[in-house]
Amino acid sequence: MRTKFKSHQDLSAVENFYNSVQQLDKKQISYGYYDDPHYSGLNTATLAAIHEQGWNNLPARTFITSAAVSFQKDLEKLQKELFGTLASGSNNPTPMLKKIGKAGAEKIKFVIDSGLFPHNTVSDAWADVKGFSAAMYHYGDLRDSTTYKISNRRGSGA
């Protein structure tokens, strides 16, 4: 004679986690620069791109790339924290997405402040005008306008 066994599992927590993760697919987080106006007539996104890629006689100062590389481990930890938050029953990812966005923006500011990017000094002539040789820190425009956005992904149906 065989023993019969019935098992009932409450999978609601797994289903809630799955649904929360599905909602993440509809969100997009970005940090850096956007269409904010700048006194130069450019927007801050264009100004940042010029510094990142170089233009005319300005050398490429890949501060955004440097920040992305530097932020990689922190981002992985924050992503694990995000999934842990969702797994613990929270179905609202927005606070964690804000935390990730703020941390990404702060990493860019840190890279600018510390000069952890190529060509981090200006020419001697420009240093004489400014009074110091640190690149990208004349008026603090790029540093101060670094921010993040959380938005709905296009084509996600959200």
Side-chain angles (χ1 to χ4, degrees), residues 31-34 36-39 43-45 47-48 51 63 102 105-113 135-148:
Y31 35 89
Y33 305 93
Y34 303 93
D36 305 323
H38 185 259
Y39 65 86
N43 61 42
T44 56
L47 184 62
H51 280 281
F63 70 104
K102 183 178 179 183
E106 290 299 318
K107 184 60 75 170
I108 293 171
K109 291 177 183 181
F110 173 78
V111 167
I112 290 172
D113 289 345
M136 297 186 53
Y137 204 78
H138 185 49
Y139 299 112
D141 299 333
L142 281 177
R143 184 199 185 285
D144 294 344
S145 62
T146 309
T147 191
Y148 69 93

Side-chain angles (χ1 to χ4, degrees), residues 54-75:
W55 180 69
N56 207 0
N57 290 326
L58 183 70
R61 296 183 169 121
T62 54
F63 70 104
I64 296 172
T65 302
S66 296
V69 170
S70 178
F71 188 50
Q72 195 60 41
K73 278 194 172 204
D74 294 334
L75 180 57

Side-chain angles (χ1 to χ4, degrees), residues 2-21:
R2 297 180 114 185
T3 305
K4 292 185 179 181
F5 178 75
K6 283 189 175 183
S7 174
H8 298 283
Q9 305 297 320
D10 179 7
L11 299 176
S12 61
V14 174
E15 290 169 356
N16 289 339
F17 175 70
Y18 176 78
N19 290 333
S20 296
V21 171

Side-chain angles (χ1 to χ4, degrees), residues 20 30 40 46 51 58 68 86 100 104 108 115 128 141 157:
S20 296
S30 58
S40 67
T46 302
H51 280 281
L58 183 70
L86 297 177
I100 292 169
I108 293 171
D128 288 344
D141 299 333

